[in-house]
């Protein structure tokens, strides 16, 4: 297999120090594998996690600025100091609720890479866009905004395909739908850099749970998952991590 799997947990504005302990305990019982686990808790919990666990940590967003009078913002360097090696960029909730447009997402991703963080770039279409058969057009535009002018950033990125209609709704894309879209994404990435496109980890996100993950992980172009709701349940999240290591592809 050309790509090792990655499972990321997006805790959003949930969690507590108690959950940090429970999650660390649950994940420490997993057998050693080549799986990369990245937990993205609220930034205030990052130092706690660093103290008690050995898996990778990530921020949920970052500022595109290095430092300055930006009340409430967190720079890449501050996240790193708190223990992060990864950062989610362009999550659909940030795009919608915080008006992050493609240009800002591109600036954030560039900043993350410049600071040495690995960005997890989220892209995805809304239900209306899918129904209007605009999915590929939307994804291409979101990817082009970041990589068309700086294709070298692709080798340093993880991509997460998260259909907006599947996030937090309990309605995951089917494995076939997800695979078809992941294949399109990989094909599109090849326009920037063929080698990096083959190597790029493309995660699926949107209502992933212990029940539906195995079928998703069987798909050739799905290299792991970005998990929201189910990542707040330590036992279920550990099961998802186990499933991706057991779903080794031919
Ligand atoms: P969900 O969230 O797994 O709860 O759908 C995924 C995400 O928002 O990254």
């Amino acid at each position: 297999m050309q790509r090792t799997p990655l499972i990321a947990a997006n805790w959003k504005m949930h969690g507590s120090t108690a959950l940090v302990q429970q999650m660390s305990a649950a994940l420490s019982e997993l057998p050693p594998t080549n799986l990369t686990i990245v937990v993205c808790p609220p930034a205030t919990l990052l130092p706690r996690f660093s103290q008690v666990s050995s898996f990778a940590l990530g921020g949920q967003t970052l500022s595109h600025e290095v430092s300055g009078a930006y009340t409430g913002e967190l720079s890449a360097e501050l996240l790193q100091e708190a223990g992060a090696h990864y950062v989610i960029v362009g999550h659909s909730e940030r795009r919608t609720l915080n008006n992050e447009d493609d240009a800002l997402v591109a600036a954030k991703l560039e900043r993350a890479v410049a600071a040495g963080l690995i960005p997890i770039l989220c892209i995805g279409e809304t239900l209306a866009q899918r129904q209007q058969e605009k999915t590929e057009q939307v994804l291409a535009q979101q990817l082009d905004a970041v990589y068309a002018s700086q294709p070298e950033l692709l080798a340093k990125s993880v991509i997460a395909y998260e259909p907006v209609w599947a996030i937090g709704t309990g309605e995951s894309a089917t494995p076939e739908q997800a695979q078809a879209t992941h294949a399109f994404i990989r094909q599109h990435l090849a326009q920037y850099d063929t080698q990096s496109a083959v190597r790029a980890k493309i995660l699926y996100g949107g209502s992933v749970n212990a029940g539906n993950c195995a079928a998703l992980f069987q798909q050739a172009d799905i290299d792991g998952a970005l998990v929201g709701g189910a990542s707040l349940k330590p036992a279920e999240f550990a099961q998802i991590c186990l499933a991706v290591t057991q779903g080794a592809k031919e």
Side-chain angles (χ1 to χ4, degrees), residues 8-12 88 91-93 122 160 162-164 166-171 204-209 226-232:
N10 177 10
W11 279 15
K12 310 190 181 187
I88 297 171
H91 189 279
S92 78
E93 285 151 19
C122 299
E162 298 205 303
V164 177
I167 296 176
T169 59
E171 188 199 346
Y204 169 77
S207 296
V208 173
N209 59 42
L226 177 54
V227 187
S231 76
L232 296 166

